[in-house]
Amino acid sequence: MSARLLCLGLVLVFATSYAAAQVAADKRRSGYQDMGEALQKMQDDDTANPGMLFVQLGGQLWAKPMGADNKSCADCHGAAANSMKGVATRYPAIPQGADRPVDLEGRINLCRTENQKAERLPPENRDLLALEAYVAHQSRGMPIAPPYGPVLDAFRAQGEGIYRRRQGQLNLSCAICHDDNAGKKLAGIAIPEAHPTGYPIYRLEWQALGSLKRRLRNCLVGIRAEAWPLDAPEYVALELYLMERAKGLPLETPAVRP
């Protein structure tokens, strides 16, 4: 064996060992790993995952002309399987010409109002959730890859401040539950690490698909804090930080949770 081949072999061995070590060192857990086998099978099987009904509806809406311009999403973007692949892993992001980030549903509404001349869809609207689920589903299995920049970093820092700030009558922060006590049981259910890997998500508790904002609002109510309106910018800032915490974890949309 030549010295060159030997060196190449050593490099490959080192790279493989380093990658394996990185995976082993990453102790983060998606909420999927805290569920029982039955719920995991429900999420894994597209014929049993109730969130897939919304993905199918989103596919129909993607191809349906809307608004005064009578244009569909497909008219601009073509096949979602190509044009939307990886998009959901990079949101929230700052739209061109804007000075603040929007989440994925905010981007969908911008497309509706600016390109289709259609009305905005309100938070938790079925069609908005379906479109968001359809777009995010195109990135299923891809690693979360949040964007960076001075403006985004400032909003991300705001989100981290919210995550770590005690609030409400119970005087709790997100970090106390999801960092300090993750994995412990609360009312018989494991406390997750709060990685937003599967939104919009189908929760059995809701018997419906719901957004990350809805889940965050539930948390605020749970600690007896004043919940922000669903269009409040604080949710976007907090999502920016949560996506940073989940960087590199695979997207699961549509996930299933208890």
Side-chain angles (χ1 to χ4, degrees):
M1 181 183 294
S2 69
R4 183 178 179 183
L5 287 175
L6 179 60
C7 289
L8 179 59
L10 290 173
V11 168
L12 290 174
V13 168
F14 174 79
T16 303
S17 300
Y18 179 78
Q22 290 293 96
V23 171
D26 191 346
K27 303 295 185 182
R28 294 175 301 169
R29 294 171 61 87
S30 158
Y32 173 90
Q33 294 164 287
D34 293 322
M35 298 194 305
E37 184 180 358
L39 284 183
Q40 289 180 346
K41 287 183 176 180
M42 180 184 290
Q43 177 174 315
D44 294 342
D45 184 351
D46 284 350
T47 65
N49 184 335
M52 289 302 298
L53 295 173
F54 291 84
V55 172
Q56 292 173 13
L57 173 60
Q60 296 169 12
L61 294 170
W62 180 268
K64 183 178 179 180
M66 297 277 185
D69 280 1
N70 198 37
K71 293 167 62 177
S72 71
C73 305
D75 287 334
C76 288
H77 300 288
N82 298 322
S83 62
M84 295 294 110
K85 192 173 183 65
V87 167
T89 68
R90 303 190 295 269
Y91 270 80
I94 299 178
Q96 186 174 2
D99 59 358
R100 62 178 52 243
V102 298
D103 54 15
L104 187 56
E105 69 176 49
R107 177 66 260 185
I108 290 170
N109 265 326
L110 279 175
C111 281
R112 285 179 60 83
T113 56
E114 294 178 359
N115 300 326
Q116 295 175 304
K117 302 299 186 290
E119 294 183 355
R120 290 179 61 86
L121 293 171
E124 302 308 309
N125 174 272
R126 185 194 66 162
D127 288 357
L128 180 57
L129 288 169
L131 278 167
E132 185 180 3
Y134 179 67
V135 170
H137 183 64
Q138 311 309 314
S139 302
R140 185 169 65 170
M142 297 183 66
I144 290 173
Y148 298 96
V151 177
L152 281 170
D153 294 345
F155 278 96
R156 188 178 289 110
Q158 178 190 357
E160 181 177 5
I162 295 170
Y163 183 83
R164 302 194 180 283
R165 185 175 70 232
R166 290 175 178 264
Q167 53 185 318
Q169 293 179 344
L170 299 186
N171 195 34
L172 293 173
S173 69
C174 309
I176 289 174
C177 284
H178 301 294
D179 288 346
D180 300 344
N181 292 287
K184 297 179 182 178
K185 298 282 184 147
L186 180 64
I189 298 175
I191 299 173
E193 293 181 359
H195 296 305
T197 53
Y199 287 89
I201 214 166
Y202 190 96
R203 292 188 66 90
L204 301 185
E205 174 189 357
W206 299 337
Q207 288 293 291
L209 200 74
S211 70
L212 177 60
K213 290 177 181 177
R214 180 176 179 180
R215 186 69 194 97
L216 295 174
R217 187 178 176 88
N218 285 171
C219 282
L220 289 169
V221 171
I223 62 174
R224 299 177 189 171
E226 183 175 353
W228 311 301
L230 284 171
D231 59 353
E234 286 86 351
Y235 289 116
V236 178
L238 187 51
E239 182 177 353
L240 263 171
Y241 177 64
L242 293 177
M243 292 292 273
E244 174 66 21
R245 288 175 73 249
K247 180 180 178 180
L249 294 178
L251 209 65
E252 304 171 37
T253 310
V256 175
R257 295 293 186 265

mmCIF file of all heavy atoms in Angstrom, residues 4-6 12 17 31 44 118 123 127 131 142-143 168 175 185 196 200-201 205 229 241 248-249 256-258:
data_model
loop_
_atom_site.group_PDB
_atom_site.id
_atom_site.type_symbol
_atom_site.label_atom_id
_atom_site.label_comp_id
_atom_site.label_asym_id
_atom_site.label_seq_id
_atom_site.Cartn_x
_atom_site.Cartn_y
_atom_site.Cartn_z
ATOM 1 N N ARG A 4 0.372 7.355 0.172
ATOM 2 C CA ARG A 4 -0.798 8.194 -0.097
ATOM 3 C C ARG A 4 -2.083 7.474 0.268
ATOM 4 O O ARG A 4 -2.973 8.037 0.897
ATOM 5 C CB ARG A 4 -0.795 8.587 -1.572
ATOM 6 C CG ARG A 4 -1.929 9.525 -1.951
ATOM 7 C CD ARG A 4 -1.847 9.929 -3.394
ATOM 8 N NE ARG A 4 -2.918 10.807 -3.780
ATOM 9 C CZ ARG A 4 -3.104 11.263 -5.002
ATOM 10 N NH1 ARG A 4 -2.251 10.936 -5.970
ATOM 11 N NH2 ARG A 4 -4.118 12.066 -5.277
ATOM 12 N N LEU A 5 -2.194 6.202 -0.114
ATOM 13 C CA LEU A 5 -3.392 5.435 0.205
ATOM 14 C C LEU A 5 -3.514 5.221 1.706
ATOM 15 O O LEU A 5 -4.613 5.238 2.277
ATOM 16 C CB LEU A 5 -3.377 4.099 -0.524
ATOM 17 C CG LEU A 5 -3.628 4.145 -2.034
ATOM 18 C CD1 LEU A 5 -3.473 2.756 -2.641
ATOM 19 C CD2 LEU A 5 -5.015 4.700 -2.319
ATOM 20 N N LEU A 6 -2.365 5.005 2.345
ATOM 21 C CA LEU A 6 -2.388 4.829 3.792
ATOM 22 C C LEU A 6 -2.900 6.077 4.494
ATOM 23 O O LEU A 6 -3.734 6.009 5.402
ATOM 24 C CB LEU A 6 -0.991 4.483 4.283
ATOM 25 C CG LEU A 6 -0.841 4.289 5.816
ATOM 26 C CD1 LEU A 6 -1.735 3.152 6.283
ATOM 27 C CD2 LEU A 6 0.612 4.024 6.168
ATOM 28 N N LEU A 12 -10.008 8.729 6.495
ATOM 29 C CA LEU A 12 -11.375 8.213 6.478
ATOM 30 C C LEU A 12 -11.753 7.586 7.813
ATOM 31 O O LEU A 12 -12.869 7.768 8.312
ATOM 32 C CB LEU A 12 -11.526 7.192 5.347
ATOM 33 C CG LEU A 12 -11.489 7.764 3.927
ATOM 34 C CD1 LEU A 12 -11.501 6.638 2.896
ATOM 35 C CD2 LEU A 12 -12.675 8.703 3.693
ATOM 36 N N SER A 17 -14.789 7.942 12.808
ATOM 37 C CA SER A 17 -14.766 7.877 14.262
ATOM 38 C C SER A 17 -15.245 9.184 14.878
ATOM 39 O O SER A 17 -15.982 9.203 15.863
ATOM 40 C CB SER A 17 -13.344 7.567 14.762
ATOM 41 O OG SER A 17 -12.899 6.339 14.247
ATOM 42 N N GLY A 31 -39.177 14.689 21.551
ATOM 43 C CA GLY A 31 -40.326 14.167 22.276
ATOM 44 C C GLY A 31 -40.741 12.786 21.801
ATOM 45 O O GLY A 31 -41.355 12.011 22.539
ATOM 46 N N ASP A 44 -44.908 6.924 12.886
ATOM 47 C CA ASP A 44 -44.077 6.373 11.821
ATOM 48 C C ASP A 44 -44.887 5.877 10.618
ATOM 49 O O ASP A 44 -44.374 5.867 9.498
ATOM 50 C CB ASP A 44 -43.239 5.211 12.361
ATOM 51 C CG ASP A 44 -42.207 5.667 13.391
ATOM 52 O OD1 ASP A 44 -41.904 6.874 13.424
ATOM 53 O OD2 ASP A 44 -41.731 4.815 14.157
ATOM 54 N N ALA A 118 -54.797 37.445 -1.630
ATOM 55 C CA ALA A 118 -55.819 36.764 -0.841
ATOM 56 C C ALA A 118 -55.750 37.260 0.604
ATOM 57 O O ALA A 118 -54.772 37.900 1.015
ATOM 58 C CB ALA A 118 -55.612 35.254 -0.882
ATOM 59 N N PRO A 123 -54.529 32.690 12.924
ATOM 60 C CA PRO A 123 -53.809 31.634 13.641
ATOM 61 C C PRO A 123 -54.705 30.442 13.958
ATOM 62 O O PRO A 123 -55.888 30.608 14.273
ATOM 63 C CB PRO A 123 -53.354 32.334 14.931
ATOM 64 C CG PRO A 123 -53.295 33.781 14.583
ATOM 65 C CD PRO A 123 -54.408 34.004 13.601
ATOM 66 N N ASP A 127 -56.863 25.612 7.268
ATOM 67 C CA ASP A 127 -56.148 25.682 5.997
ATOM 68 C C ASP A 127 -54.709 26.147 6.184
ATOM 69 O O ASP A 127 -53.796 25.665 5.497
ATOM 70 C CB ASP A 127 -56.876 26.620 5.029
ATOM 71 C CG ASP A 127 -58.161 26.014 4.496
ATOM 72 O OD1 ASP A 127 -58.473 24.851 4.833
ATOM 73 O OD2 ASP A 127 -58.880 26.711 3.743
ATOM 74 N N LEU A 131 -51.478 23.921 5.142
ATOM 75 C CA LEU A 131 -50.423 24.391 4.243
ATOM 76 C C LEU A 131 -49.059 24.337 4.926
ATOM 77 O O LEU A 131 -48.064 23.922 4.320
ATOM 78 C CB LEU A 131 -50.723 25.823 3.782
ATOM 79 C CG LEU A 131 -51.705 25.971 2.626
ATOM 80 C CD1 LEU A 131 -52.149 27.423 2.475
ATOM 81 C CD2 LEU A 131 -51.070 25.474 1.323
ATOM 82 N N MET A 142 -34.824 15.921 7.499
ATOM 83 C CA MET A 142 -33.680 16.813 7.303
ATOM 84 C C MET A 142 -33.313 17.502 8.620
ATOM 85 O O MET A 142 -34.183 17.764 9.465
ATOM 86 C CB MET A 142 -33.994 17.861 6.231
ATOM 87 C CG MET A 142 -34.256 17.280 4.862
ATOM 88 S SD MET A 142 -34.525 18.572 3.610
ATOM 89 C CE MET A 142 -32.900 19.334 3.565
ATOM 90 N N PRO A 143 -32.038 17.825 8.840
ATOM 91 C CA PRO A 143 -31.625 18.459 10.097
ATOM 92 C C PRO A 143 -32.054 19.920 10.170
ATOM 93 O O PRO A 143 -32.010 20.647 9.167
ATOM 94 C CB PRO A 143 -30.104 18.336 10.079
ATOM 95 C CG PRO A 143 -29.752 18.237 8.630
ATOM 96 C CD PRO A 143 -30.883 17.504 7.978
ATOM 97 N N GLY A 168 -45.375 34.124 35.711
ATOM 98 C CA GLY A 168 -46.612 33.503 36.150
ATOM 99 C C GLY A 168 -46.699 33.319 37.655
ATOM 100 O O GLY A 168 -45.725 33.514 38.390
ATOM 101 N N ALA A 175 -36.957 26.973 31.113
ATOM 102 C CA ALA A 175 -35.729 26.230 31.401
ATOM 103 C C ALA A 175 -35.873 25.340 32.621
ATOM 104 O O ALA A 175 -35.284 24.247 32.675
ATOM 105 C CB ALA A 175 -34.572 27.209 31.592
ATOM 106 N N LYS A 185 -41.277 12.876 35.357
ATOM 107 C CA LYS A 185 -42.701 12.712 35.074
ATOM 108 C C LYS A 185 -43.518 13.845 35.670
ATOM 109 O O LYS A 185 -43.274 14.286 36.800
ATOM 110 C CB LYS A 185 -43.204 11.374 35.628
ATOM 111 C CG LYS A 185 -42.534 10.149 35.013
ATOM 112 C CD LYS A 185 -43.105 9.834 33.646
ATOM 113 C CE LYS A 185 -42.479 8.555 33.113
ATOM 114 N NZ LYS A 185 -43.365 7.781 32.301
ATOM 115 N N PRO A 196 -38.593 21.733 19.026
ATOM 116 C CA PRO A 196 -39.743 21.888 18.112
ATOM 117 C C PRO A 196 -39.539 21.150 16.790
ATOM 118 O O PRO A 196 -39.524 21.745 15.712
ATOM 119 C CB PRO A 196 -39.806 23.403 17.916
ATOM 120 C CG PRO A 196 -38.380 23.838 18.018
ATOM 121 C CD PRO A 196 -37.731 22.923 19.030
ATOM 122 N N PRO A 200 -46.260 21.784 12.421
ATOM 123 C CA PRO A 200 -47.454 21.574 13.220
ATOM 124 C C PRO A 200 -47.564 20.124 13.667
ATOM 125 O O PRO A 200 -47.170 19.217 12.936
ATOM 126 C CB PRO A 200 -48.612 21.949 12.295
ATOM 127 C CG PRO A 200 -48.021 22.664 11.140
ATOM 128 C CD PRO A 200 -46.600 22.222 11.046
ATOM 129 N N ILE A 201 -48.138 19.919 14.824
ATOM 130 C CA ILE A 201 -48.102 18.625 15.490
ATOM 131 C C ILE A 201 -49.521 18.157 15.793
ATOM 132 O O ILE A 201 -50.403 18.984 16.048
ATOM 133 C CB ILE A 201 -47.285 18.781 16.788
ATOM 134 C CG1 ILE A 201 -46.499 17.535 17.121
ATOM 135 C CG2 ILE A 201 -48.140 19.209 17.949
ATOM 136 C CD1 ILE A 201 -45.442 17.766 18.182
ATOM 137 N N GLU A 205 -54.284 15.034 22.957
ATOM 138 C CA GLU A 205 -54.998 15.897 23.897
ATOM 139 C C GLU A 205 -55.932 16.858 23.168
ATOM 140 O O GLU A 205 -57.029 17.152 23.624
ATOM 141 C CB GLU A 205 -53.975 16.677 24.727
ATOM 142 C CG GLU A 205 -54.557 17.732 25.649
ATOM 143 C CD GLU A 205 -53.495 18.619 26.269
ATOM 144 O OE1 GLU A 205 -52.291 18.377 26.021
ATOM 145 O OE2 GLU A 205 -53.868 19.545 26.993
ATOM 146 N N PRO A 229 -51.257 37.233 22.796
ATOM 147 C CA PRO A 229 -52.107 36.899 21.649
ATOM 148 C C PRO A 229 -51.327 36.068 20.637
ATOM 149 O O PRO A 229 -50.091 36.137 20.579
ATOM 150 C CB PRO A 229 -52.490 38.262 21.057
ATOM 151 C CG PRO A 229 -51.832 39.298 21.873
ATOM 152 C CD PRO A 229 -51.062 38.668 22.982
ATOM 153 N N TYR A 241 -35.131 30.788 19.262
ATOM 154 C CA TYR A 241 -34.209 30.197 20.234
ATOM 155 C C TYR A 241 -34.407 28.692 20.338
ATOM 156 O O TYR A 241 -33.431 27.928 20.421
ATOM 157 C CB TYR A 241 -34.391 30.851 21.608
ATOM 158 C CG TYR A 241 -33.504 30.212 22.647
ATOM 159 C CD1 TYR A 241 -32.118 30.291 22.548
ATOM 160 C CD2 TYR A 241 -34.048 29.493 23.710
ATOM 161 C CE1 TYR A 241 -31.292 29.676 23.479
ATOM 162 C CE2 TYR A 241 -33.233 28.874 24.643
ATOM 163 C CZ TYR A 241 -31.859 28.971 24.525
ATOM 164 O OH TYR A 241 -31.041 28.352 25.439
ATOM 165 N N GLY A 248 -29.673 20.667 14.155
ATOM 166 C CA GLY A 248 -29.114 19.374 13.792
ATOM 167 C C GLY A 248 -30.060 18.206 14.002
ATOM 168 O O GLY A 248 -29.852 17.133 13.421
ATOM 169 N N LEU A 249 -31.094 18.368 14.818
ATOM 170 C CA LEU A 249 -32.071 17.294 15.008
ATOM 171 C C LEU A 249 -32.965 17.196 13.774
ATOM 172 O O LEU A 249 -33.263 18.206 13.127
ATOM 173 C CB LEU A 249 -32.922 17.550 16.252
ATOM 174 C CG LEU A 249 -32.200 17.506 17.597
ATOM 175 C CD1 LEU A 249 -33.165 17.827 18.727
ATOM 176 C CD2 LEU A 249 -31.548 16.151 17.821
ATOM 177 N N VAL A 256 -46.614 13.217 16.134
ATOM 178 C CA VAL A 256 -47.745 12.879 16.992
ATOM 179 C C VAL A 256 -47.245 12.937 18.442
ATOM 180 O O VAL A 256 -46.150 12.484 18.727
ATOM 181 C CB VAL A 256 -48.284 11.471 16.687
ATOM 182 C CG1 VAL A 256 -49.388 11.079 17.661
ATOM 183 C CG2 VAL A 256 -48.791 11.399 15.254
ATOM 184 N N ARG A 257 -48.047 13.507 19.315
ATOM 185 C CA ARG A 257 -47.683 13.571 20.727
ATOM 186 C C ARG A 257 -48.929 13.271 21.566
ATOM 187 O O ARG A 257 -50.050 13.389 21.093
ATOM 188 C CB ARG A 257 -47.131 14.955 21.093
ATOM 189 C CG ARG A 257 -45.814 15.305 20.405
ATOM 190 C CD ARG A 257 -44.665 14.442 20.864
ATOM 191 N NE ARG A 257 -43.381 14.878 20.297
ATOM 192 C CZ ARG A 257 -42.834 14.370 19.195
ATOM 193 N NH1 ARG A 257 -43.475 13.414 18.517
ATOM 194 N NH2 ARG A 257 -41.675 14.807 18.739
ATOM 195 N N PRO A 258 -48.744 12.916 22.844
ATOM 196 C CA PRO A 258 -49.897 12.591 23.715
ATOM 197 C C PRO A 258 -50.862 13.752 23.872
ATOM 198 O O PRO A 258 -50.479 14.897 23.720
ATOM 199 C CB PRO A 258 -49.247 12.248 25.054
ATOM 200 C CG PRO A 258 -47.827 11.929 24.740
ATOM 201 C CD PRO A 258 -47.462 12.746 23.546
#
